[in-house]
């Protein structure tokens, strides 16, 4: 145990390793090749078929049970991580505000210094962890995870070090008072936990278990990461249904009913874990942790009904949200692009200095601006029963006493500036608090916090935009609510209701989510009556935002060089064919039996990850018999057990027995093998290799005159990495209908999941009137 711990410690990355890794990532991004596609298609070679044939019904059920067990572990792990982050953030914030408030009783300047130093220490810890330990943990992580589920593997985003950096970096950046949130990083955290479980732990740090290494394809790992994303949202907002819909609408590109059940189960587990933690914290065992942290802003006692006259100002809120959200996306895109091209190239010291400078500016604004505001008298306790006024800063509730001459006064700007983000939003959403805020204070906060959020997003710290977006939107929403209260004085209007609608509109205008965001807002506010209004402002804000640019995550993914395939093909693809799309390509292929030296030469001179394999048919014509992956070729070259002296076909069963299916599995968080790691002697280079047992004999093929839009839909919906374009076939050997696909439904009821079972071949059924080929092309060639 001690030796294992020493070995794991010795493998921890140094500052030079982290900087080298980040420089490599930046160079790939600038070169346009910062990501590699994932193999979601199952390679049905002979090794796969042999492995499936050896697995019976017991293994199928074991495989399914393990998937559900992993869903349980993902829910528990993500919930525990969220509890830890919330407890740490709330306690650090509580200590900060308690110490500051006790000191400002004697000196505001000394209190300001303590406040600044406390924030600087937390923020410095966050940026130091990111720059020196886990550079891939910077940002929200949602664009990278969205790319992963879209079929793009960005190196480093699911490592163990990224998970650790995300958790502790989020504590420092959010606890340090920066204008960002912890909700986006929690989605990334859940995805990292799911990925590590899917590969059985971390092999680099020897924290893995052979019993957990059941998933041997990127497709299974993708399903687990989808569960992790939903768990992250469920843990961040305490919104399990919203988490499921977020995974369905925003991040994943591939969905099915079995996955829906597992994602729903994972989110339910998270909800139970978070609820249990909240009940435990109510006993006072969580330190400064109060009702903040686990987001729920209960406005069930707010506005119960609305009139037709209010629909116009609510629609205006939607328009404002779309405009401000689109502007936010554009500004963050420009600033982040400039930061990556010029500022961050100067090294980690510049990144640390930048974040610390922003921390100082944010602290000065949060502390200084409330000092410039005049205090207001507390509401009359007789006409407003149940309202406690004033309250010291850092205590959950409204009416904060900060730099007030009298005891029965409060500072409206301090209730949102000099407070944690959760408590500030709770104050903005509060009902039955008419005239609590002045329009000048809300405008001041809106301008300053909007500017801080734009500048802070993209720095070298974990940064989410859910909570800052809610704060920005609720501010102008409450401003519109104040106007409605003044203009329609007879209506029973709550300013907090308009603050909620403003928050929904800004998130819709920036992130362009609709269904999932609507459910999340309902779940975190516990007010189902506002559902139609939230739907209205979301539809308007998304329509307005889409007129100007794409959503926040799509813009950031494009900036990071992640080639996302959107849900719909571009319009110009309808007028292009598959042949036109690949007319400038030079096809690099292998013969079925190829010299080792030729394989080595092709791999060294090309970066392709898939190669067609050809052979000669019975009549001497050249036929494409399958697809061989670069990763499989590297495994064969490194093992050397399949090398042969003669250029003749090998015994296919013997070749299959020399390898296990796990030999060809790419590690989930590794680059895989490289051609530079292959060392062969001159004699070995003169030997031959028969590729037939290891290629995929049935790759997806499209005719050359198929429209590119149809190829696009096929490629994205099936999660492909390669697709062959071939001349139009000369004749038809059969026609498959829905009835053919349902032929064995009653005979094979034990089939649970398509990718983990083998269908019995009953090719002699319904053969009357058809020219049935009873053996695949590759098998017929091998028989020859």
């Amino acid at each position: 145990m001690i030796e294992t711990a020493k070995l794991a410690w010795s493998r921890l990355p140094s500052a030079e390793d982290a900087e080298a890794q980040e420089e490599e990532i930046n160079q790939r991004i600038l070169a346009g090749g910062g990501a590699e596609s994932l193999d979601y298609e199952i390679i049905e070679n002979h090794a796969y078929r042999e492995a499936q044939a050896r697995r019976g019904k017991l293994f199928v059920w074991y495989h399914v049970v393990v998937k559900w067990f992993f869903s349980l572990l993902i829910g528990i792990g993500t919930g525990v991580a969220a509890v830890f982050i919330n407890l740490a953030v709330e306690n650090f914030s509580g200590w900060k505000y308690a110490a500051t408030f006790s000191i400002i009783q004697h000196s505001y300047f000394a209190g300001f210094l303590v406040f600044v130093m406390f924030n600087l220490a937390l923020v410095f810890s966050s940026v130091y962890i990111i720059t020196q330990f886990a550079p891939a943990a910077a940002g929200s992580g949602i664009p990278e995870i969205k790319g992963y589920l879209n079929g793009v593997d960005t190196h480093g985003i699911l490592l163990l070090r990224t998970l650790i950096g995300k958790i502790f970096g989020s504590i420092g950046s959010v606890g340090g008072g920066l204008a960002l949130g912890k909700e986006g990083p929690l989605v990334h955290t859940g995805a990292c936990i799911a990925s590590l479980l899917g590969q059985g732990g971390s092999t680099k740090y020897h924290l893995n278990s052979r019993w957990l290494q059941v998933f041997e394809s990127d497709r299974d790992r993708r399903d687990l990461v989808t569960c992790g994303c939903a768990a992250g949202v469920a843990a961040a907002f305490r919104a399990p249904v919203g988490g499921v819909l977020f995974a369905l609408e925003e991040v994943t590109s591939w969905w099915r009913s079995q996955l829906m059940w597992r994602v729903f189960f994972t989110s339910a587990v998270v909800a139970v874990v978070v609820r249990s933690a909240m009940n435990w914290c109510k006993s006072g065992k969580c330190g400064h942790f109060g009702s903040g942290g686990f987001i729920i802003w209960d406005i069930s006692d707010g506005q119960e009904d609305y009139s037709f006259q209010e629909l116009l100002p609510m629609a205006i809120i939607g328009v404002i949200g779309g405009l401000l959200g689109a502007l936010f996306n554009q500004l963050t895109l420009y600033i982040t692009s400039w930061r990556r091209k010029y500022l961050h190239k100067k090294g980690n010291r510049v990144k640390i200095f930048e974040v610390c400078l922003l921390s100082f500016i944010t602290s000065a604004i949060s502390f200084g601006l409330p000092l410039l505001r005049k205090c207001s008298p507390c509401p009359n306790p007789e006409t407003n029963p149940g309202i406690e006024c004033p309250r010291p800063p850092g205590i959950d509730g409204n009416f904060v006493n900060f730099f007030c001459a009298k005891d029965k006064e409060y500072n409206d700007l301090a209730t949102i500036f000099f407070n944690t983000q959760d408590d500030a939003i709770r104050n903005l959403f509060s009902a039955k608090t008419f005239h609590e805020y002045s329009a000048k204070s809300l405008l001041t906060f809106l301008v300053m916090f909007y500017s801080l959020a734009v500048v802070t997003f993209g720095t070298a710290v974990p940064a989410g935009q859910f909570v800052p977006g809610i704060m920005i939107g609720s501010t102008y929403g409450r401003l519109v609510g104040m106007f409605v209260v003044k203009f329609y004085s007879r209506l029973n209007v709550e300013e907090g209701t308009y603050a909620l609608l403003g928050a929904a509109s800004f998130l819709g205008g920036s992130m362009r989510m609709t269904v999932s965001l609507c459910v999340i807002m309902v779940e975190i506010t516990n007010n189902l009556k506002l559902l139609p209004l939230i739907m209205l402002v979301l539809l308007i804000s998304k329509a307005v935002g889409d007129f100007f640019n794409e959503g926040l995550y799509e813009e950031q993914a494009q900036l990071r060089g992640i080639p996302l395939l959107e849900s719909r093909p571009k319009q110009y693809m309808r007028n292009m064919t598959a042949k036109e799309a690949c007319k400038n390509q030079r096809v690099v292929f292998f013969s079925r039996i190829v010299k080792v030296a030729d394989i080595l030469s092709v791999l060294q001179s090309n970066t392709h990850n898939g190669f067609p394999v050809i052979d000669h048919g019975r009549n001497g014509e050249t036929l494409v018999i399958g697809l061989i992956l670069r990763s499989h070729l590297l495994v064969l070259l490194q093992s050397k057990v399949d090398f042969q002296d003669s250029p003749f076909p090998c015994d296919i069963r013997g070749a299959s027995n020399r390898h296990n299916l796990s030999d060809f599995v790419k590690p989930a968080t590794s680059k895989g093998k490289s051609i530079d790691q292959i060392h062969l002697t001159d004699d070995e280079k003169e030997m031959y290799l028969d590729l037939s047992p290891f290629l995929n004999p049935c790759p997806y093929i499209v005719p050359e005159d198929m429209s590119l839009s149809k190829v696009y839909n096929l490629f994205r919906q099936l999660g492909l990495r390669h697709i062959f374009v071939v001349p139009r076939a000369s004749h038809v050997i059969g026609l498959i209908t829905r009835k053919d696909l349902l032929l064995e439904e009653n005979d094979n009821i034990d089939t649970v999941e398509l990718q983990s079972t083998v269908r019995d071949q009953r090719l002699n059924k319904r053969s009357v009137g058809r020219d049935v080929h009873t053996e695949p092309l590759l098998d017929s060639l091998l028989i020859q």
Side-chain angles (χ1 to χ4, degrees):
M1 181 67 70
I2 297 178
E3 294 299 325
T4 303
K6 288 181 178 180
L7 183 58
W9 177 262
S10 66
R11 290 176 176 265
L12 288 176
S14 61
E16 292 78 9
D17 296 335
E19 191 168 357
Q21 177 192 354
E22 186 174 18
E23 181 64 26
E24 178 186 354
I25 294 173
N26 290 335
Q27 289 178 356
R28 288 185 177 184
I29 291 174
L30 293 176
E36 181 181 329
S37 296
L38 292 161
D39 293 299
Y40 287 155
E41 179 189 1
I42 294 178
I43 307 301
E44 296 182 346
N45 53 22
H46 282 273
Y48 174 82
R49 293 177 179 178
E50 290 290 333
Q52 295 298 314
R54 289 192 297 265
R55 294 171 179 175
K57 296 180 181 179
L58 183 61
F59 179 84
V60 172
W61 284 108
Y62 170 74
H63 199 261
V64 174
V65 169
V66 169
K67 285 185 177 181
W68 283 92
F69 178 65
F70 276 18
S71 300
L72 174 66
L73 294 182
I74 292 169
I76 295 175
T78 308
V80 170
V83 170
F84 175 73
I85 293 174
N86 285 325
L87 287 177
V89 169
E90 289 294 316
N91 277 283
F92 279 126
S93 300
W95 294 330
K96 173 178 65 179
Y97 286 114
T100 304
F101 184 69
S102 63
I103 293 175
I104 63 176
Q105 305 298 325
H106 310 285
S107 171
Y108 274 87
F109 181 74
F112 171 71
L113 290 180
V114 171
F115 183 71
V116 169
M117 295 305 296
F118 215 114
N119 284 337
L120 270 177
L122 289 172
V123 170
F124 176 79
S125 68
S126 175
V127 68
Y128 187 83
I129 289 172
I130 298 302
T131 55
Q132 306 297 322
F133 182 72
S140 68
I142 293 181
E144 289 83 357
I145 299 303
K146 185 173 182 178
Y148 181 88
L149 296 178
N150 193 258
V152 181
D153 185 13
T154 304
H155 176 66
I157 62 169
L158 298 174
L159 296 172
L160 177 61
R161 73 163 85 168
T162 303
L163 173 62
I164 297 173
K166 210 73 178 183
I167 293 176
F168 290 96
S170 299
I171 294 172
S173 61
V174 178
L178 292 178
L180 41 84
K182 57 183 179 293
E183 287 67 34
L186 267 176
V187 176
H188 194 177
T189 299
C192 288
I193 293 174
S195 177
L196 290 171
L197 284 173
Q199 64 171 340
S202 175
T203 55
K204 181 177 181 180
Y205 304 114
H206 293 272
L207 300 174
N208 59 331
S209 172
R210 184 173 58 87
W211 299 101
L212 297 179
Q213 296 173 358
V214 228
F215 302 110
E216 299 172 336
S217 69
D218 288 333
R219 179 180 294 189
D220 290 331
R221 293 167 179 168
R222 173 189 61 185
D223 293 348
L224 291 177
V225 171
T226 304
C227 294
C229 291
V233 176
F237 294 104
R238 230 187 72 195
V241 180
V244 176
L245 294 176
F246 175 82
L248 170 62
E249 178 185 10
E250 187 61 24
V251 292
T252 189
S253 302
W254 193 82
W255 198 260
R256 68 178 189 275
S257 58
Q258 294 96 332
L259 180 59
M260 168 78 81
W261 278 106
R262 298 215 317 267
V263 171
F264 186 78
F265 172 71
T266 306
S267 300
V269 172
V270 172
V272 172
V273 172
V274 173
R275 172 65 70 178
S276 303
M278 290 186 66
N279 292 334
W280 179 66
C281 288
K282 287 180 180 179
S283 60
K285 299 178 181 179
C286 298
H288 284 275
F289 187 89
S291 58
F294 297 120
I295 299 177
I296 182 165
W297 301 299
D298 194 340
I299 59 171
S300 56
D301 57 345
Q303 186 172 338
E304 296 182 355
D305 199 5
Y306 50 91
S307 65
F308 180 77
Q309 295 172 300
E310 294 181 73
L311 295 181
L312 177 60
M314 291 175 181
I316 294 175
I317 289 178
V319 174
I320 296 173
L323 294 175
L324 290 181
L327 178 63
F328 182 88
N329 294 356
Q330 206 64 35
L331 291 176
T332 52
L333 180 65
Y334 288 151
I335 294 176
T336 307
S337 178
W338 173 83
R339 182 180 278 132
R340 283 175 173 267
K341 288 182 180 179
Y342 303 104
L343 194 61
H344 285 181
K345 279 188 173 182
K346 298 180 180 180
N348 290 334
R349 292 185 178 180
V350 175
K351 298 178 184 178
I352 295 175
F353 177 77
E354 176 196 19
V355 176
C356 291
L357 178 62
L358 284 175
S359 174
F360 176 80
I361 294 174
T362 305
S363 301
I365 291 175
S366 301
F367 192 96
L369 284 182
L371 298 177
L372 304 178
R373 286 292 303 161
K374 294 182 180 180
C375 293
S376 305
C378 288
N380 189 347
E382 296 179 358
T383 58
N384 298 274
I387 291 181
E388 181 181 348
C389 180
R391 292 191 178 191
I395 304 299
D396 175 37
N398 302 19
F399 308 107
V400 173
N401 186 311
F402 184 77
F403 200 62
C404 297
K406 298 180 181 179
D407 292 337
K408 290 298 180 180
E409 290 183 340
Y410 73 97
N411 191 318
D412 61 343
L413 198 54
T415 62
I416 46 180
F417 248 133
F418 197 66
N419 219 333
T420 62
Q421 292 180 351
D422 292 342
D423 290 339
I425 296 173
R426 193 173 290 107
N427 294 341
L428 289 169
F429 280 3
S430 60
K432 298 180 175 58
T433 52
F434 297 107
H435 312 298
E436 177 184 357
Y437 305 96
S438 65
K440 186 180 296 185
S441 296
L442 292 177
L443 280 173
T444 301
F445 178 79
L446 176 61
V447 173
M448 298 306 301
F449 193 83
Y450 189 94
S451 303
L452 288 174
V454 167
V455 176
T456 307
F457 188 77
T459 54
V461 291
Q465 280 304 310
F466 275 103
V467 167
I470 292 175
M471 294 186 69
I472 293 170
S474 58
T475 304
Y476 67 74
R478 191 153 186 124
L479 278 170
V480 175
M482 293 171 62
F483 169 78
V484 174
V485 169
K486 186 176 182 180
F487 192 79
Y488 303 119
S489 56
R490 296 182 179 180
L491 295 177
N492 182 23
V493 176
E494 283 286 354
E495 297 173 5
T497 300
Y498 283 81
L500 169 66
L501 298 179
S505 70
F506 185 82
L507 292 177
S510 176
M511 301 178 183
R512 312 292 159 80
M513 297 186 298
T514 52
V515 180
S516 58
L517 184 57
C518 183
V519 174
I520 289 173
M521 298 303 293
V522 170
E523 286 188 281
I524 64 179
T525 55
N526 196 24
N527 195 333
L528 191 60
K529 297 177 182 178
L530 300 179
L531 181 61
L533 302 181
I534 297 176
M535 295 171 65
L536 172 67
V537 297
L538 280 175
L539 289 173
I540 295 176
S541 63
K542 185 182 186 303
V544 173
D546 285 337
F547 183 78
F548 294 98
N549 51 31
E550 293 184 298
L552 178 65
Y553 300 137
E554 288 76 13
E555 296 274 6
Q556 295 298 319
Q558 182 181 0
L559 179 64
R560 287 166 167 80
I562 302 174
L564 290 179
L565 293 179
E566 298 300 330
S567 57
R568 293 187 304 173
K570 303 295 183 182
Q571 183 64 30
Y572 70 86
M573 293 183 179
R574 301 181 184 276
N575 301 320
M576 290 183 63
T577 62
K579 182 179 181 180
E580 294 173 344
C582 59
K583 61 182 179 181
N584 295 325
Q585 294 180 3
R586 183 176 65 90
V587 180
V588 181
F589 58 88
F590 289 112
S591 299
R592 172 187 165 182
I593 302 173
V594 61
K595 186 178 289 188
V596 173
D598 295 337
I599 298 178
L600 201 63
S601 175
V602 169
L603 296 183
Q604 289 173 342
S605 59
N606 293 277
T607 58
H608 303 324
N609 289 288
F611 304 92
V613 180
I614 65 170
D615 201 358
H616 299 287
R618 291 186 176 93
N619 300 324
E621 72 275 14
T622 300
L623 300 174
V624 178
I625 62 172
L627 169 74
I628 187 75
L629 294 181
R630 182 187 190 92
S631 58
H632 290 190
L633 289 172
L634 292 175
V635 171
L636 298 177
L637 292 179
Q638 190 175 53
S639 65
K640 305 177 184 179
V641 297
D642 298 286
F643 292 175
Q644 59 187 38
D645 296 322
S646 61
F648 297 105
C650 68
D651 180 12
I652 191 169
R653 295 186 179 275
S656 300
N657 293 332
R658 287 194 292 268
H659 293 279
N660 294 322
L661 186 60
S662 58
D663 296 339
F664 300 99
V665 176
K666 174 190 171 184
T669 57
S670 172
K671 300 178 185 177
K673 295 181 175 61
S674 171
I675 188 63
D676 299 329
Q677 300 172 347
I678 306 299
H679 303 286
L680 300 173
T681 64
D682 293 336
D683 293 337
E684 291 171 338
K685 292 179 183 179
E686 294 301 318
M687 301 181 74
Y688 294 89
L689 189 60
D690 187 355
L691 303 180
S692 57
F694 314 104
L695 55 82
N696 182 8
C698 46
Y700 287 92
I701 297 174
V702 297
E704 59 183 348
D705 56 350
M706 178 182 284
S707 69
L708 190 57
S709 61
K710 197 169 183 179
V711 176
Y712 183 98
N713 290 327
L714 178 68
F715 198 95
R716 185 183 186 276
Q717 292 172 6
L718 295 178
L720 302 181
R721 186 176 187 179
H722 306 95
I723 193 166
F724 285 174
V725 179
V726 298
R728 179 163 290 279
S730 58
H731 63 278
V732 179
I733 64 171
L735 184 69
I736 294 180
T737 63
R738 182 184 295 269
K739 191 174 182 180
D740 296 304
L741 300 178
L742 298 176
L743 180 64
E744 301 178 16
E745 184 179 9
N746 295 327
D747 299 335
N748 198 14
I749 60 175
D750 294 328
T751 300
V752 180
E753 298 206 9
L754 182 60
Q755 67 269 28
S756 60
T757 58
V758 178
R759 296 178 59 188
D760 297 331
Q761 297 183 358
R762 298 182 177 90
L763 299 177
N764 56 345
K765 292 185 177 181
R766 303 183 65 204
S767 59
V768 179
R770 294 188 181 185
D771 182 15
V772 178
H773 288 237
T774 58
E775 52 190 17
L777 173 62
L778 180 60
D779 292 345
S780 64
L781 292 172
L782 294 177
I783 292 173
Q784 265 192 328

